[in-house]
Amino acid sequence: MWMKCIGKILRLWMKNVIFVGNAHQHITTMGNINENKLLAVGAVVRSPREKYEVTGVIKVTESGVIYEVRAVDAGVGLIMKECDAADPDLVASVDRIFRQLASEDVSAVKVTEAFIDGAKGYMVMERFDGKTLRELVDTGGPLSQRRMLELMRGVVKAAGALHASGMTHFGISPDNILVDGDGDVMLAGVSLSGSARRPAAGFSAIEQYAGAPRFSPVTDVYSLAATMLFCLTGKTIPAAAEVTDAILDEMLGADTVAPLRDLLKRSLSFRIAERPASAGGMLAAFDEIEARLQPDVAPQPEIAAISSMADDVSEDTVVSEPAMTEDESTVPEDDEDVYVPQALSITHKAEALASGQTKGAAGAAAGEP
């Protein structure tokens, strides 16, 4: 009797194990479903104005898939970003705003059309071949203050145009700014999601961690300033709750001109009310900063100087080498990419979130290019 009961229990247990195993196998298979939903090469997406044939997949990002496409009627190559369908009214607003910006002299990747097809939203953009600002700094080193202002002026102007149109980018960083071989700069990374994307440590303002409103230009101001500081130092600042004036002073060094130091400190404040209200407010300070800067001077060739010196030195002249101080001989090279501050209290986070946030008409948010 007992043996029969035990046998029955074992059979039921084995049946459940097999069922759970099959269920696990099914779930594992379902985990690859996103790959199966990618548009195949040759697939055609239709908008109210054009038909777009997919010619390749460029990248799968947090907020959608970026395709290489060909406009069938126009016969030109473009970039198309696919994401979950947003509010139709929002998509229509984005389409209107970017078609207007495309006709203006704004350093933003030209969006030619935004539309909804079925359950998906699409944004079509012109191609812009270049490297990211991060790649430029990583390979060439930190930029001078003047060079940084030259590159970022167009980006700040583009962000200001978005703000004036009722939109917030929410994803400005060195990875979403492109620079081509001619030095032209483009702000990329606009999205149809309509809400702030996941914060990027070092480039996202403190309110973004708690969910910034759809229209929050001061949030973009923080990201622009963090990107400017990255250009100057080659380093990413700490997360927003840990940034202090002392950290910023140490990162900037003594050579940073006062107006630029002041702009970056105000723009990176965790107190929202202290930041410029929009990118346009940052742009107003650029002329004052440039007026305080000395022109960038390329180093003169040392060979010519040595040759000239040799003509004036006789055989009896003794030229002594300058003495190297102990400090000069023991300065370590800094290979760190991220600034690491001392542990700080983050109790001021509550104060930042409690302060007023800029609110306005609903706008679109942005993700990757």
Side-chain angles (χ1 to χ4, degrees), residues 318-335:
V318 177
V319 180
S320 60
E321 294 290 337
M324 178 178 289
T325 66
E326 181 179 355
D327 289 340
E328 290 173 336
S329 62
T330 58
V331 174
E333 292 186 2
D334 185 4
D335 295 328

Side-chain angles (χ1 to χ4, degrees), residues 241-316:
E242 302 176 23
V243 176
T244 65
D245 281 354
I247 289 174
L248 296 178
D249 281 332
E250 185 176 344
M251 292 185 70
L252 287 168
D255 294 336
T256 304
V257 295
L260 177 56
R261 183 185 301 274
D262 175 69
L263 175 63
L264 292 178
K265 282 186 174 182
R266 288 189 294 112
S267 301
L268 291 169
S269 174
F270 61 83
R271 296 183 180 89
I272 295 172
E274 292 184 359
R275 300 180 208 154
S278 69
M282 299 182 74
L283 196 62
F286 273 45
D287 290 339
E288 180 186 358
I289 295 170
E290 288 185 335
R292 296 284 298 273
L293 292 174
Q294 297 294 329
D296 288 340
V297 179
Q300 298 298 317
E302 296 183 3
I303 296 177
I306 294 174
S307 175
S308 176
M309 182 185 300
D311 293 337
D312 298 333
V313 177
S314 65
E315 295 181 358
D316 298 330

